[in-house]
Amino acid sequence: LAYNLIMISFSLDFWFKNRDVVETQEHYKSRWRSIWIMYLTMFLSSVGFSIVIMSVWPYLQEIDPTADASFLGWIIASYSIGQMLASPLFGLWSNYRPRREPLVISTAISVAANCLYAYVHVPHSHNKYYMLTARALVGFGAESGGLDQDAEGNIDHVAVVALNFLFFVILFVFAVFETIATPLTMDMYSWTRKEAVFYNGIILSVVGIESVIVFMVVKMLAKKTGERAILHGGLLIVLVGFFILLPWGKKLPNIQWQEIKNNSIPRTTPTEMLMPFWSLQAMQPPSNHTAEPVGCPVTQSWCLNTPVIYLAQYISSDILIGLGYPVCNVMSYTLYSKILGPKPQGVYMGWLTASGSGARILGPVFVSQIYTHLGPRWAFSLICGVVVVSLLLLEIVYKRLIAFSVRYGRMQEENC
């Protein structure tokens, strides 16, 4: 939510500062009324998305026991697939018809899709495919489209392509993070579905507050150090966050079949897990008070030989990723906008949106497949490798990531 709001503010601020148009008071008030409506819309949309993303894995397990973590990746990716398909359609529609029409239709599709999602448990079979369809339709309805506008020449296309790749990586790693949070904590800490949603909700709420603070600080910091340096620092923080998630030591997670065989071992409560915070051990197998099995499923062969990720590691990683992700997001958007210049940016922004949607498609599918079959060590090691590649790319194109006005001024001087 904070990311969306800040991005709108940055874009509008940059746009109006670089226009040779005097804005009247009446137009100013009208513009800000529209912005506040957008704020409210994004707030409600983000609340709904946050609720669903944390509960989708327990919900999927409940409605269709045949679904595994691999299918979870497709469920989460289907949202972005729908969004990517809808974007050009609604964009073309809004070019030839009033923009209110695609907005109303997309909202209606979103409402209907969420109603379908709420009732996917009703059919007697194939429930996971109904959920897949519902999430794809929600993503389709979430894209209200925009105008297809032409951008000016004299743009550094190498810098544009590089930033599209960096933006892809940034959203890719965050999609991995939000996808794996619930199944990872259920496997590592023997949390039930209800506990995984509740405790991860608390953790991500705190991370959200952290992100809001970051958004407020990063704009002031960028004036002193520059956007490129802050983007570099944000990627380093994200790299450290995923490196911390790598399993260490010899302690193994509780195996789910142990819970079924032995129900006499008392369960460790969440309070006990945090005392002391930095010397945590893995959860003890919970007592079988309910029919719900907990622990790392024996069907995932890596559970038998991969060390547990301690809760301290997980929370530390959440804090670091919650710090690095908003920094990278804001700086990549800001740099991209400045490189394109003050003229209409519709086409290039469409490419950036497509990069983000592609990342949110591939990220969940990638991590769910790797996590299910190879485990967290392989999954997070590969993510670290992707972030390292992005850091190398940033170093290569570092000097090219400059504002359009600066580059254009240099070209004018060279011509003189």
Side-chain angles (χ1 to χ4, degrees):
L1 170 62
Y3 157 69
N4 286 327
L5 301 185
I6 294 296
M7 282 297 91
I8 291 174
S9 301
F10 276 13
S11 298
L12 287 171
D13 182 59
F14 181 80
W15 176 254
F16 279 96
K17 282 182 179 180
N18 289 276
R19 288 178 69 190
D20 298 324
V21 177
V22 177
E23 186 179 23
T24 65
Q25 187 67 22
E26 181 180 353
H27 185 268
Y28 176 84
K29 291 180 179 180
S30 175
R31 177 166 63 87
W32 275 101
R33 276 197 300 269
S34 300
I35 291 173
W36 282 112
I37 293 174
M38 286 165 33
Y39 281 5
L40 177 61
T41 303
M42 287 184 178
F43 175 81
L44 296 175
S45 176
S46 298
V47 168
F49 183 83
S50 299
I51 292 172
V52 170
I53 201 66
M54 293 309 305
S55 60
V56 64
W57 176 232
Y59 189 33
L60 178 61
Q61 288 183 308
E62 183 176 342
I63 66 168
D64 197 331
T66 64
D68 57 12
S70 298
F71 198 81
L72 171 67
W74 288 106
I75 292 285
I76 295 177
S78 63
Y79 178 93
S80 295
I81 294 174
Q83 195 173 42
M84 179 177 280
L85 293 175
S87 182
L89 296 177
F90 281 113
L92 184 63
W93 188 354
S94 57
N95 276 344
Y96 296 98
R97 298 290 299 171
R99 297 179 187 178
R100 187 175 300 176
E101 289 183 8
L103 180 61
V104 170
I105 295 299
S106 65
T107 303
I109 293 174
S110 183
V111 171
N114 277 290
C115 290
L116 174 61
Y117 182 80
Y119 288 96
V120 293
H121 64 281
V122 174
H124 298 294
S125 61
H126 307 298
N127 303 74
K128 61 183 181 182
Y129 297 108
Y130 289 113
M131 179 182 282
L132 182 72
T133 303
R135 289 302 296 162
L137 289 174
V138 170
F140 192 92
E143 181 53 62
S144 57
L147 292 177
D148 186 14
Q149 299 171 314
D150 293 327
E152 295 294 299
N154 298 322
I155 293 175
D156 188 344
H157 289 90
V158 173
V160 168
V161 172
L163 273 175
N164 271 274
F165 177 80
L166 291 173
F167 188 71
F168 174 90
V169 171
I170 292 165
L171 265 69
F172 179 85
V173 297
F174 190 76
V176 167
F177 172 73
E178 66 183 6
T179 301
I180 207 63
T182 301
L184 177 69
T185 52
M186 291 176 68
D187 291 345
M188 292 294 166
Y189 314 128
S190 299
W191 286 353
T192 63
R193 298 168 188 167
K194 183 177 179 181
E195 288 172 335
V197 173
F198 178 71
Y199 293 127
N200 277 304
I202 293 175
I203 292 171
L204 292 184
S205 296
V206 175
V207 171
I209 296 172
E210 176 194 21
S211 298
V212 171
I213 297 172
V214 171
F215 281 131
M216 292 188 293
V217 173
V218 73
K219 188 176 181 180
M220 297 182 291
L221 190 60
K223 295 178 180 178
K224 298 180 179 180
T225 62
E227 292 88 358
R228 295 176 298 179
I230 296 179
L231 176 59
H232 192 279
L235 286 171
L236 283 174
I237 293 172
V238 171
L239 175 61
V240 174
F242 276 99
F243 183 79
I244 287 176
L245 270 181
L246 293 174
W248 305 99
K250 298 181 179 179
K251 184 73 175 180
L252 299 179
N254 298 314
I255 306 302
Q256 196 171 105
W257 59 264
Q258 289 178 337
E259 155 66 10
I260 298 173
K261 290 184 177 180
N262 187 354
N263 60 9
S264 62
I265 304 176
R267 184 171 182 224
T268 305
T269 65
T271 304
E272 292 170 337
M273 288 190 297
L274 294 171
M275 300 176 60
F277 181 77
W278 292 105
S279 60
L280 298 172
Q281 298 297 321
M283 304 298 98
Q284 294 296 325
S287 58
N288 192 19
H289 295 305
T290 66
E292 179 183 349
V294 293
C296 199
V298 71
T299 52
Q300 296 177 163
S301 58
W302 58 264
C303 293
L304 301 174
N305 52 42
T306 300
V308 71
I309 298 173
Y310 296 111
L311 189 61
Q313 289 177 260
Y314 178 67
I315 294 178
S316 299
S317 176
D318 286 347
I319 293 172
L320 289 172
I321 295 173
L323 174 63
Y325 171 70
V327 168
C328 294
N329 239 316
V330 171
M331 291 302 101
S332 59
Y333 251 110
T334 305
L335 280 169
Y336 197 71
S337 183
K338 287 187 175 182
I339 288 170
L340 296 179
K343 300 299 182 181
Q345 305 173 359
V347 172
Y348 287 94
M349 284 298 178
W351 292 356
L352 195 67
T353 301
S355 298
S357 296
R360 297 186 70 88
I361 292 169
L362 295 179
V365 175
F366 164 83
V367 72
S368 60
Q369 295 291 330
I370 299 297
Y371 178 82
T372 302
H373 298 102
L374 300 177
R377 178 173 284 164
W378 271 97
F380 300 140
S381 294
L382 290 173
I383 293 298
C384 288
V386 170
V387 178
V388 168
V389 170
S390 67
L391 282 166
L392 293 175
L393 175 63
L394 181 58
E395 287 293 329
I396 294 172
V397 299
Y398 193 86
K399 293 182 179 180
R400 304 188 71 137
L401 302 181
I402 55 176
F404 176 86
S405 57
V406 175
R407 183 172 183 271
Y408 185 74
R410 290 178 181 175
M411 292 173 62
Q412 291 291 86
E413 291 177 0
E414 291 174 0
N415 292 333
C416 293

